[in-house]
Amino acid sequence: MQPCVAVTGANRNIGAHLAARFLDEGFGVVAHYRSETAAIERLAARGARLVRGSFDDAAACTDIAERLAAAAPSLRAIIHNASSFAPTAADIPAAATQFQDFFAVHMLAPYILNTHLAAHLDGTPEAPADIIHITDIYADNPAPAQDLYCATKAGLQNLSLAFAKRYAPRIKVNAIQPGPISFEAWHDENHRSAVLEATPLGRMGSPEAIYAAVRAIMANDYQTGAVIPVDGGRRLGRG
Ligand SMILES: NC(=O)C1=CN([C@@H]2O[C@H](COP(=O)(O)OP(=O)(O)OC[C@H]3O[C@@H](n4cnc5c(N)ncnc54)[C@H](OP(=O)(O)O)[C@@H]3O)[C@@H](O)[C@H]2O)C=CC1
Ligand SMILES: Nc1nc2c(c(=O)[nH]1)N=C([C@H](O)[C@@H](O)CO)CN2
């Protein structure tokens, strides 16, 4: 039977690329998504099983976890890719709402899904399964304008270390820290130029670079609790 991988936020960009590449390589895929997109329809047409839902609160995360478990009784890996990214709002009530939303998708959802799905991960001490959290280089060195996003990504990164201890030796738990893979529409030209100027490799990364890091972690049976930047050196700057 083909090994199966669950990917969250699989309807666009990096998540959609990860799911498509796992299908290319003959894995079964359970694709979680929130909004309908052409990319999620393409994954379904290629045989991916779909689980739709929004990580709004504990009840919603638990419901999604149960539907993921039903869709894939046996899992080789779970990739926590889903994420919300926005500058912190200027007023406190709006920022407080953002904080709850970022906490739910970046920390509560991985916590609940991992706790529910650990028994469905088909690892052994000799051949461990994988949980991979996609964090951000900003988890270690936050951008003040996105402080709430960064803080919850740092929380996810810390959960990676706790889960690495909790689920060893049957499951490895690692984090990947992307650098500039894509820009948001609200990133102006000055920001884009400044980011690339501060990136030693001088160019944007790609979703394929993240997929390569995912597959390298899965291929290494002696790596857990690792935090792996895939950022063109962006975290170092040039100075
Ligand atoms: N792109 C980059 O340069 C960088 C990316 N990263 C990280 O890499 C990962 C992928 O990035 P990227 O592809 O750009 O991400 P996107 O922002 O393009 O997509 C995020 C995904 O998460 C889903 N999502 C967001 N909030 C929720 C929620 N509350 N419940 C369920 N699903 C939700 C989105 O669904 P919907 O379509 O419905 O909104 C979408 O599928 C993320 O974890 C991101 O933080 C880190 C650093 C840099
Ligand atoms: N969920 C997301 N997280 C992040 C995104 C994104 O588009 N979605 N993008 C970035 C930035 O582009 C950054 O890497 C470059 O300034 C960070 N996180």
Side-chain angles (χ1 to χ4, degrees):
M1 186 170 82
Q2 65 182 167
C4 185
V5 176
V7 179
T8 69
N11 68 329
R12 66 177 75 248
N13 298 335
I14 293 172
H17 185 81
L18 298 180
R21 297 287 288 113
F22 276 120
L23 290 171
D24 293 345
E25 289 200 289
F27 287 85
V29 169
V30 182
H32 158 269
Y33 71 107
R34 179 175 63 176
S35 309
E36 288 284 355
T37 61
I40 203 71
E41 295 310 318
R42 286 194 295 273
L43 291 172
R46 293 184 63 190
R49 284 158 274 175
L50 304 186
V51 173
R52 185 174 190 176
S54 185
F55 296 126
D56 295 333
D57 52 32
C61 293
T62 301
D63 173 59
I64 293 167
E66 289 168 348
R67 287 187 283 126
L68 285 167
S74 176
L75 281 168
R76 168 66 184 80
I78 307 170
I79 317 297
H80 292 279
N81 167 80
S83 164
S84 186
F85 176 60
T88 300
D91 67 289
I92 290 178
T97 299
Q98 278 184 310
F99 214 165
Q100 289 170 331
D101 294 346
F102 292 154
F103 170 80
V105 64
H106 295 155
M107 294 186 69
L108 188 62
Y111 184 85
I112 290 177
L113 266 61
N114 289 338
T115 305
H116 260 274
L117 296 174
H120 294 265
L121 281 160
D122 59 5
T124 66
E126 298 71 31
D130 284 279
I131 292 171
I132 297 174
H133 295 151
I134 310 293
T135 63
D136 192 319
I137 54 172
Y138 287 168
D140 296 336
N141 181 16
Q146 290 102 34
D147 50 8
L148 301 185
Y149 161 86
C150 296
T152 52
K153 283 287 191 173
L156 174 57
Q157 206 158 279
N158 189 268
L159 272 180
S160 308
L161 309 184
F163 277 131
K165 296 179 182 179
R166 175 193 285 192
Y167 290 127
R170 209 171 56 76
I171 303 166
K172 301 183 280 125
V173 185
N174 293 286
I176 291 170
Q177 300 177 311
I181 305 297
S182 61
F183 287 120
E184 291 285 274
W186 42 266
H187 282 133
D188 63 27
E189 197 45 50
N190 289 339
H191 173 81
R192 296 170 189 233
S193 304
V195 166
L196 294 180
E197 180 54 38
T199 302
L201 291 186
R203 55 184 163 83
M204 300 291 284
S206 67
E208 184 63 15
I210 305 303
Y211 184 70
V214 166
R215 298 294 283 118
I217 289 169
M218 291 174 68
N220 191 325
D221 69 2
Y222 201 61
Q223 188 174 33
T224 195
V227 178
I228 300 129
V230 182
D231 69 341
R234 171 79 179 86
R235 73 199 180 285
L236 305 176
R238 282 184 185 275

